[in-house]
Amino acid sequence: MSGDSNVIHIRNLTRQYRMGENVVRALDGVDVDVLPGDFVVVVGSSGSGKSTLMHILGLLDTPTSGVYQISGGDAASGGDRVQSRLRNQHIGFVFQQFNLLSDLTVVENIALPLAYSGVPRRERQEKARAMATRLGLGDRCHHRPTELSGGQMQRVAIARALINDPDILLADEPTGNLDSTTSGEIMDILYELHGQGHTIIMVSHDPDLALQGTRCVTIQDGKIVKEEKGRRTRAPEAEGWHNEREEEAHGELSTMDLLRIGVQEGLMTHGMRTFLTMLGIIIGVSSVIAMSSFSLGSKQKQMDQIRALGANLVRIVDRRLENERLTQARMEGSFGLSRKDLEALRQNSDTIAHASCSRGIKLNVLHRGRALSPRVIGIWGDYLAVNNLAVETGRFLDATDAAENSKLAVLGHGVAEELRVEEPLGETLLLGGVYYTVVGVLADKGIALEELEATSVADPNNDILIPLDTLIARTTHLEMRSEVDELQLQLTSEDFLYQAGRVVKRVLGVTHAGVEDYDMIIPMDLLKQKQQSQRLLDILTACISSISIIVGGIGIMNIMLASVTERIREIGIRRAIGATRFDILRQFLAESVIIAVTGGVFGVLLSLAVVALTCQALDLPVVFSIPLICIAVLASTATGLIFGLYPASQAANRNPVEALRYE
Ligand code: ADP
């Protein structure tokens, strides 16, 4: 017999359950044909297989063998997508336990199947409201199921089953949980729907209802044992009834709806729990960003400071040989560092912008009888320019002062303050028993030198500068000593540091007759080396901070697993009204990703605040690495996805029948 004109065509359908060694034949070779406009009442004692049949008819369960066609098409052959679409568009399910979603209003419950067929929200609500009114629920639209009576709940369930204008209405003991008056009302609705052309299959164990349909089918031990004609006649075919399933425009659950379900029904219902889970990610992300910002900030500060002193600086420092080694060096033809070296370097390199030399001397320093302890340095050349120094008041030492061996001094800012006089200019200082007059004071560089320890830079604030010639004139007794302690070269650019280093080696190799009696120090280079050695520490810190993101991810997984268990029944209901496995997967995945992304964004905001405040307090520059912020947010998103995948797949793979039975 052809099944083309039938709504349902079933042949030799079996469903077996394996219980250890035993096989339970819940359905054992069932043949049924349901024509458009039929009202089939299925009766039978408890355990006879009625629910199993209904679940298979509703595509919530798969038969072990046999033929099942809906509107001429093989219902079993399609994958989850096709079957879910059939459930959504062609089958309306009404359950004994109503199976409404308690967090949704009446209208939202009724509109739910439309969401899974991609109908826009406004249209959904309009249709649902109209359907609610049709079923006498017009004044209950915004109530929640818990605020309704049993009869009203079943009306909502019927409205939901009808909203997509299905070909078949499956009702599994729809009046089983209702008192007799309410049962009568619900049955009247079903009769009316039948009268309007709906095809209905209803399970009932109320003997009074058995013959109220067009046909009554009795099941016993998984077999149809009796078929009787009912009192009702087949309804005229419903207008909307057609077989053109393939041509339907069928959308999907929109991303907006997915997010709405995730936020409203998932996360908001357990606000505190969601927040605590999110906290793991917030802490992880903010600590990664904050740690890296502090590290970048302090590096930046060191760089800035060294630039303030002169990033292009090359220092050549005398080794201060003594005794035999000094005699040896002199005999080999090296006379130590001298102004001649500086001239030679200038002639051999065009990358030197400024050059100077200096020589320190240990002297007792007295001001108005009070001892001070600055460094006294004799300087020659462009000392100010080389060291990026500026004169605050008075003037600097010039060539005339050098030529005249003048006893003049320029004070570092700190030394000038130590004099405790209002006007340091014109003050006299006793340096090693000789009076010097203060002609200038240097501006404060404001440099925290402890941070630059590794670069061997001294604090210019604590210096007294005098002309080199004046100093040399006073120390003739040390004849073998090098003329100066140090040469300073300021290059035209930071890029020439290495090139200049080679020139220095070559030129001084000649002037010092190959004797290595000097060291070359490039402060910028030293700082970079130091910062390089800190990288390992940075990486380690980043790893530790990342671990907290992973811990946050585990928190998400934990909470999502709990959420899936709590919502098993909801999963069953959603599947029954047409959600695909993928829809369920997306729904739970969306929740975990929303937690993770929101946590990531809050983490970034928190780190911005913490870094801004802390850097201000620690006087560090505020440095954010934009790529790192992006990576942190991406990492938290990935965490949500990865750790959400397992709970979401657990939800998606739930058997709908078992999910619906879950208490
Ligand atoms: P009814 O709805 O008529 O009360 P069911 O269709 O629920 O009957 O059950 C038919 C038979 O199949 C019963 O013997 C029942 O124990 C068995 N059965 C139903 N579901 C399962 C299952 N998941 N596992 C094992 N046996 C089952």
Side-chain angles (χ1 to χ4, degrees), residues 17 19 24 26 45-52 661:
Y17 294 103
M19 304 284 285
V24 179
S45 56
S46 182
S48 56
K50 303 184 296 295
S51 294
T52 307
R661 285 210 186 109

mmCIF file of all heavy atoms in Angstrom, residues 17 19 24 26 45-52 661, ligand 1:
data_model
loop_
_atom_site.group_PDB
_atom_site.id
_atom_site.type_symbol
_atom_site.label_atom_id
_atom_site.label_comp_id
_atom_site.label_asym_id
_atom_site.label_seq_id
_atom_site.Cartn_x
_atom_site.Cartn_y
_atom_site.Cartn_z
ATOM 1 N N TYR A 17 14.688 -2.763 23.500
ATOM 2 C CA TYR A 17 15.641 -2.263 24.486
ATOM 3 C C TYR A 17 16.429 -3.451 24.997
ATOM 4 O O TYR A 17 15.848 -4.485 25.317
ATOM 5 C CB TYR A 17 14.938 -1.603 25.673
ATOM 6 C CG TYR A 17 14.204 -0.337 25.317
ATOM 7 C CD1 TYR A 17 12.812 -0.331 25.179
ATOM 8 C CD2 TYR A 17 14.905 0.850 25.131
ATOM 9 C CE1 TYR A 17 12.141 0.829 24.859
ATOM 10 C CE2 TYR A 17 14.229 2.024 24.808
ATOM 11 C CZ TYR A 17 12.850 2.003 24.672
ATOM 12 O OH TYR A 17 12.192 3.141 24.351
ATOM 13 N N MET A 19 18.327 -4.991 27.881
ATOM 14 C CA MET A 19 18.507 -4.844 29.332
ATOM 15 C C MET A 19 19.392 -5.996 29.800
ATOM 16 O O MET A 19 18.882 -7.052 30.164
ATOM 17 C CB MET A 19 17.165 -4.935 30.067
ATOM 18 C CG MET A 19 16.126 -3.948 29.595
ATOM 19 S SD MET A 19 16.446 -2.305 30.201
ATOM 20 C CE MET A 19 15.924 -2.496 31.897
ATOM 21 N N VAL A 24 13.928 -6.259 25.586
ATOM 22 C CA VAL A 24 12.531 -5.865 25.788
ATOM 23 C C VAL A 24 12.001 -5.370 24.453
ATOM 24 O O VAL A 24 12.572 -4.466 23.844
ATOM 25 C CB VAL A 24 12.425 -4.737 26.848
ATOM 26 C CG1 VAL A 24 10.969 -4.325 27.030
ATOM 27 C CG2 VAL A 24 13.031 -5.182 28.165
ATOM 28 N N ALA A 26 9.580 -3.308 23.128
ATOM 29 C CA ALA A 26 8.589 -2.272 23.455
ATOM 30 C C ALA A 26 7.603 -2.118 22.303
ATOM 31 O O ALA A 26 6.419 -1.890 22.514
ATOM 32 C CB ALA A 26 9.294 -0.961 23.747
ATOM 33 N N SER A 45 -2.764 -0.944 28.084
ATOM 34 C CA SER A 45 -2.400 -0.898 29.499
ATOM 35 C C SER A 45 -1.004 -0.312 29.650
ATOM 36 O O SER A 45 -0.270 -0.159 28.673
ATOM 37 C CB SER A 45 -2.444 -2.304 30.084
ATOM 38 O OG SER A 45 -1.603 -3.130 29.308
ATOM 39 N N SER A 46 -0.657 -0.016 30.887
ATOM 40 C CA SER A 46 0.643 0.580 31.169
ATOM 41 C C SER A 46 1.745 -0.396 30.758
ATOM 42 O O SER A 46 1.648 -1.600 31.001
ATOM 43 C CB SER A 46 0.728 0.888 32.660
ATOM 44 O OG SER A 46 1.946 1.498 32.929
ATOM 45 N N GLY A 47 2.773 0.110 30.078
ATOM 46 C CA GLY A 47 3.885 -0.737 29.652
ATOM 47 C C GLY A 47 3.635 -1.425 28.329
ATOM 48 O O GLY A 47 4.441 -2.233 27.874
ATOM 49 N N SER A 48 2.508 -1.088 27.663
ATOM 50 C CA SER A 48 2.191 -1.780 26.416
ATOM 51 C C SER A 48 2.987 -1.229 25.228
ATOM 52 O O SER A 48 3.072 -1.884 24.186
ATOM 53 C CB SER A 48 0.690 -1.677 26.140
ATOM 54 O OG SER A 48 0.308 -0.318 26.111
ATOM 55 N N GLY A 49 3.580 -0.025 25.366
ATOM 56 C CA GLY A 49 4.392 0.524 24.272
ATOM 57 C C GLY A 49 3.833 1.799 23.668
ATOM 58 O O GLY A 49 4.344 2.273 22.653
ATOM 59 N N LYS A 50 2.823 2.385 24.304
ATOM 60 C CA LYS A 50 2.173 3.587 23.753
ATOM 61 C C LYS A 50 3.165 4.755 23.652
ATOM 62 O O LYS A 50 3.286 5.395 22.604
ATOM 63 C CB LYS A 50 0.985 4.003 24.635
ATOM 64 C CG LYS A 50 -0.061 2.931 24.837
ATOM 65 C CD LYS A 50 -1.235 3.448 25.641
ATOM 66 C CE LYS A 50 -0.902 3.862 27.060
ATOM 67 N NZ LYS A 50 -0.463 2.780 27.950
ATOM 68 N N SER A 51 3.875 5.002 24.795
ATOM 69 C CA SER A 51 4.802 6.146 24.797
ATOM 70 C C SER A 51 5.939 5.921 23.820
ATOM 71 O O SER A 51 6.363 6.853 23.118
ATOM 72 C CB SER A 51 5.378 6.364 26.196
ATOM 73 O OG SER A 51 4.339 6.746 27.053
ATOM 74 N N THR A 52 6.403 4.680 23.759
ATOM 75 C CA THR A 52 7.483 4.376 22.819
ATOM 76 C C THR A 52 7.036 4.717 21.399
ATOM 77 O O THR A 52 7.771 5.348 20.635
ATOM 78 C CB THR A 52 7.858 2.880 22.916
ATOM 79 O OG1 THR A 52 8.139 2.577 24.269
ATOM 80 C CG2 THR A 52 9.060 2.549 22.060
ATOM 81 N N ARG A 661 12.255 12.648 30.395
ATOM 82 C CA ARG A 661 11.799 11.881 31.561
ATOM 83 C C ARG A 661 12.524 12.302 32.830
ATOM 84 O O ARG A 661 12.146 11.939 33.918
ATOM 85 C CB ARG A 661 12.085 10.385 31.335
ATOM 86 C CG ARG A 661 11.129 9.733 30.372
ATOM 87 C CD ARG A 661 10.958 8.263 30.725
ATOM 88 N NE ARG A 661 10.148 7.605 29.729
ATOM 89 C CZ ARG A 661 10.637 6.729 28.850
ATOM 90 N NH1 ARG A 661 11.913 6.400 28.894
ATOM 91 N NH2 ARG A 661 9.853 6.174 27.961
HETATM 92 P P1 ADP B 1 3.487 2.760 27.993
HETATM 93 O O1 ADP B 1 3.696 4.116 27.511
HETATM 94 O O2 ADP B 1 2.425 2.030 27.220
HETATM 95 O O3 ADP B 1 3.235 2.666 29.434
HETATM 96 P P2 ADP B 1 6.229 2.382 27.272
HETATM 97 O O4 ADP B 1 6.251 2.642 25.807
HETATM 98 O O5 ADP B 1 6.701 3.412 28.162
HETATM 99 O O6 ADP B 1 4.775 1.894 27.709
HETATM 100 O O7 ADP B 1 7.096 1.075 27.522
HETATM 101 C C1 ADP B 1 6.985 -0.115 26.775
HETATM 102 C C2 ADP B 1 7.959 -1.137 27.309
HETATM 103 O O8 ADP B 1 9.274 -0.753 27.008
HETATM 104 C C3 ADP B 1 7.872 -1.316 28.811
HETATM 105 O O9 ADP B 1 8.043 -2.673 29.104
HETATM 106 C C4 ADP B 1 9.036 -0.543 29.321
HETATM 107 O O10 ADP B 1 9.527 -1.107 30.491
HETATM 108 C C5 ADP B 1 10.028 -0.667 28.178
HETATM 109 N N1 ADP B 1 10.884 0.500 28.100
HETATM 110 C C6 ADP B 1 10.503 1.753 27.795
HETATM 111 N N2 ADP B 1 11.546 2.565 27.775
HETATM 112 C C7 ADP B 1 12.632 1.824 28.097
HETATM 113 C C8 ADP B 1 14.033 2.066 28.258
HETATM 114 N N3 ADP B 1 14.547 3.278 28.065
HETATM 115 N N4 ADP B 1 14.831 1.045 28.586
HETATM 116 C C9 ADP B 1 14.337 -0.196 28.759
HETATM 117 N N5 ADP B 1 13.046 -0.499 28.625
HETATM 118 C C10 ADP B 1 12.189 0.478 28.300
#
